[in-house]
Amino acid sequence: EDKVVQSPLSLVVHEGDTVTLNCSYEVTNFRSLLWYKQEKKAPTFLFMLTSSGIEKKSGRLSSILDKKELFSILNITATQTGDSAIYLCAPNRDDKIIFGKGTRLHILP
Amino acid sequence: NAGVMQNPRHLVRRRGQEARLRCSPMKGHSHVYWYRQLPEEGLKFMVYLQKENIIDESGMPKERFSAEFPKEGPSILRIQQVVRGDSAAYFCASSPGQGRKETQYFGPGTRLLVL
């Protein structure tokens, strides 16, 4: 059975801190791993990772995938209150995305 | 360029009624996916459709739920004889055709409340 485990489930930090969100997965026919940010509405796409060891960056966010260890992390540096959201890890298999329960991140001003 | 559109944004139904949720994919996208998000839970895949075809409905409950994506018009998720447990946010996502199917773009969701 496909499994996606995100940790921590929730996290509260102060503005300016750096956070690391973790995602481990067991998915058959793995194709890629996606990260989404969900605020009060729809998830918005952040990254798609297909190869191990290649870091993807977008501003203060970065992510990397380890296909051997079945693991991915999402880093956010110099956090801002606007980063408060649920971050969803989503391995993709055969065009079906399996979502984790997410990490609920709250940034205190 | 409009994103994925869903309507209604909020829907209230009484037990036993029918709910119809609509999704218009992004322009140029031919793949549509429906997900359900229960309170405090992650997104759960329901069904994957291309125009006039259901590709994968392994996440759909066996009864009362159906989905279609006709040649013309939006994709429809239909829930017959709703029960309280159907209360959830239903998200639709779309993706382009060949080569970039993995990147799904989500609509704003329809929040269904069953009284």
Side-chain angles (χ1 to χ4, degrees):
Chain A
E1 188 182 324
D2 297 324
K3 193 160 64 172
V4 183
V5 178
Q6 289 189 245
S7 63
L9 287 179
S10 65
L11 187 57
V12 180
V13 299
H14 285 96
E15 214 170 12
D17 287 350
T18 293
V19 297
T20 298
L21 311 183
N22 305 294
C23 174
S24 64
Y25 63 91
E26 291 177 32
V27 171
T28 54
N29 301 318
F30 175 86
R31 289 174 58 163
S32 60
L33 187 137
L34 302 100
W35 282 95
Y36 285 87
K37 176 183 181 182
Q38 185 176 22
E39 296 169 269
K40 289 198 174 164
K41 35 192 181 177
T44 52
F45 172 77
L46 294 175
F47 297 110
M48 182 173 77
L49 304 160
T50 52
S51 302
S52 279
I54 299 175
E55 186 183 44
K56 290 227 173 170
K57 291 196 76 161
S58 175
R60 295 176 294 102
L61 278 67
S62 63
S63 183
I64 198 160
L65 174 68
D66 185 335
K67 286 164 78 171
K68 186 179 174 188
E69 297 297 326
L70 307 182
F71 193 81
S72 177
I73 60 170
L74 175 70
N75 275 320
I76 310 176
T77 59
T79 51
Q80 302 171 359
T81 53
D83 296 328
S84 296
I86 298 173
Y87 290 83
L88 298 166
C89 167
N92 180 30
R93 45 152 287 187
D94 295 340
D95 291 331
K96 179 193 297 184
I97 295 181
I98 314 293
F99 282 89
K101 290 191 175 182
T103 292
R104 191 179 293 269
L105 177 64
H106 185 67
I107 310 296
L108 298 170
Chain B
N1 184 18
V4 179
M5 298 174 69
Q6 289 187 250
N7 68 82
R9 297 288 301 275
H10 299 272
L11 183 59
V12 180
R13 285 286 178 266
R14 294 192 182 280
R15 279 179 297 170
Q17 292 184 318
E18 179 180 284
R20 275 183 183 242
L21 288 60
R22 293 174 189 78
C23 169
S24 296
M26 281 178 74
K27 189 176 179 182
H29 287 193
S30 55
H31 302 246
V32 165
Y33 311 78
W34 285 93
Y35 295 85
R36 177 164 62 175
Q37 187 171 37
L38 295 169
E40 304 301 320
E41 291 195 14
L43 287 157
K44 293 279 198 288
F45 168 79
M46 297 181 77
V47 62
Y48 162 36
L49 310 107
Q50 293 181 25
K51 284 282 187 184
E52 299 184 281
N53 282 309
I54 296 175
I55 307 301
D56 181 348
E57 57 181 347
S58 56
M60 288 278 270
K62 295 279 186 279
E63 297 174 349
R64 303 188 297 107
F65 284 71
S66 62
E68 62 176 10
F69 189 15
K71 189 176 178 183
E72 301 290 336
S75 176
I76 307 279
L77 179 68
R78 184 178 173 213
I79 312 171
Q80 294 178 289
Q81 298 176 306
V82 296
V83 300
R84 288 220 175 104
D86 297 333
S87 296
Y90 292 83
F91 289 96
C92 165
S94 72
S95 69
Q98 295 295 327
R100 290 187 59 201
K101 286 188 284 190
E102 291 90 347
T103 307
Q104 297 180 14
Y105 297 87
F106 282 80
T110 293
R111 276 147 185 84
L112 172 65
L113 176 63
V114 180
L115 301 176

